[in-house]
Amino acid sequence: MQFVQSADGVFSDYHVILCDVWGVLHNGRQAWPGASAALTAARAAGKTVILITNSPRPHAGVRIQLGEFGVPDDAYDAIATSGDVTRALISEAPRRQFHLGPDRDYPLFEGLDIELVDEFEANAVVCTGLFDDETETPDTYEEMLTRMRGRNLPFICANPDIVVERGDRLVYCAGALARRYALMGGRTMIAGKPHKPIYDRAMDLAAQARGRPVEKTQTLVIGDGVTTDVKGAVDNGFDLMFVTDGIHAREYGEPGVPDLEKVVAFLDDFGAKPVATMTKLT
């Protein structure tokens, strides 16, 4: 594994880049201009950039959010979101569904032939996150999840992330609740990273942008999360570039100053052999 200061030399070996958003392009409060500049330069060199994110929002909402953070449109060709691919799971589930998550995620359900109902009327659960991720933790939902498990409700997780950065702190995501529900023996359904549907969607978008199918050997995945980005790359057969300054930064040093031996050991535990590692994408 090589530790690099610039992505340019690594990008030269690939036609398509599948880049994570939260943790690589921004931290939930501010964007990293160097990351956007690296992707913009890659596109200028003829590469296709698909952003691949576990956001529960459809891609149109993520595009708006990126613009608000200052990520330019010319940094990417298209966006594949967990919300996009989860809509198929929602459509296939029982019609009466309970939405577990904040109101801001309602666009996920627009245009779908379902009925959102209270928990006790529901035949399925769609989780986009905690109701209030600023104050709540998975422990807050122990009784609710126990009730749902008692009724054997299928649990659709629209954001498989366990935690994400928000500024200088970590907040819990829907994946934390899905994990707890699964440990109770509940049936969970997930289409976002690290699962195959979101990568199929991203590769379809890449093929549309390039006008022809793209081989996995021509594709590089960039990310900072081991259970999503790293596992997704490994399980789906993509090369990986790992960004250390993300949610795991303090597990192998301090933000900005990773201990490279610890990084290698950390990734070895997950069976990952990145083609390159960077502190931040630049």
Side-chain angles (χ1 to χ4, degrees):
M1 179 179 69
Q2 59 173 333
F3 189 88
V4 298
Q5 300 297 326
S6 170
D8 295 346
V10 181
F11 286 176
S12 64
D13 294 332
Y14 300 93
H15 295 167
V16 172
I17 298 161
L18 306 184
C19 185
D20 180 37
V21 173
W22 209 301
V24 176
L25 282 181
H26 68 74
N27 70 351
R29 295 293 187 195
Q30 60 179 328
W32 310 126
S36 295
L39 297 181
T40 300
R43 293 189 68 228
K47 314 299 180 182
T48 298
V49 176
I50 308 299
L51 303 185
I52 180 167
T53 171
N54 272 345
S55 170
R57 303 180 186 185
H59 63 272
V62 173
R63 181 180 291 274
I64 292 171
Q65 183 185 51
L66 289 172
E68 292 171 348
F69 281 133
V71 176
D73 288 346
D74 58 4
Y76 56 92
D77 292 271
I79 308 171
T81 77
S82 180
D84 289 335
V85 292
T86 299
R87 283 168 60 86
L89 297 179
I90 295 172
S91 295
E92 295 164 1
R95 189 171 184 276
R96 294 167 64 83
Q97 301 178 14
F98 173 65
H99 174 214
L100 172 50
D103 290 349
R104 64 175 180 268
D105 294 334
Y106 275 132
L108 175 66
F109 303 99
E110 289 180 358
L112 299 180
D113 184 22
I114 64 162
E115 182 182 359
L116 293 177
V117 298
D118 291 337
E119 175 197 340
F120 296 100
E121 303 175 280
N123 296 316
V125 180
V126 179
C127 182
T128 62
L130 285 64
F131 288 124
D132 183 358
D133 57 20
E134 290 288 338
T135 62
E136 296 176 337
T137 72
D139 289 341
T140 309
Y141 292 85
E142 188 71 19
E143 290 185 8
M144 177 183 285
L145 295 176
T146 299
R147 291 195 303 268
M148 292 172 176
R149 178 67 188 96
R151 296 176 57 209
N152 200 30
L153 296 181
F155 191 99
I156 299 170
C157 175
N159 179 353
D161 286 345
I162 305 299
V163 296
V164 293
E165 289 182 296
R166 183 171 292 153
D168 59 358
R169 57 191 291 261
L170 299 177
V171 296
Y172 285 102
C173 301
L177 299 183
R179 180 175 63 180
R180 182 162 294 199
Y181 194 69
L183 289 173
M184 292 177 173
R187 179 161 62 102
T188 60
M189 292 175 284
I190 304 174
K193 296 183 291 184
H195 300 281
K196 186 174 183 290
I198 194 169
Y199 292 95
D200 289 345
R201 171 66 175 164
M203 293 298 279
D204 286 345
L205 291 172
Q208 292 172 29
R210 297 189 72 81
R212 60 186 181 279
V214 181
E215 298 294 331
K216 288 184 178 181
T217 55
Q218 301 171 328
T219 305
L220 177 69
V221 168
I222 305 174
D224 71 308
V226 290
T227 61
T228 51
D229 305 307
V230 173
K231 182 172 172 55
V234 171
D235 289 356
N236 292 282
F238 295 102
D239 284 354
L240 169 71
M241 174 186 282
F242 184 66
V243 175
T244 63
D245 258 20
I247 58 173
H248 305 296
R250 296 191 184 278
E251 298 190 46
Y252 35 69
E254 294 293 328
V257 286
D259 182 318
L260 299 188
E261 290 186 2
K262 290 182 179 179
V263 172
V264 171
F266 178 77
L267 293 172
D268 277 347
D269 287 343
F270 293 88
K273 303 291 184 184
V275 297
T277 301
M278 303 188 72
T279 305
K280 277 188 168 61
L281 177 61
T282 57

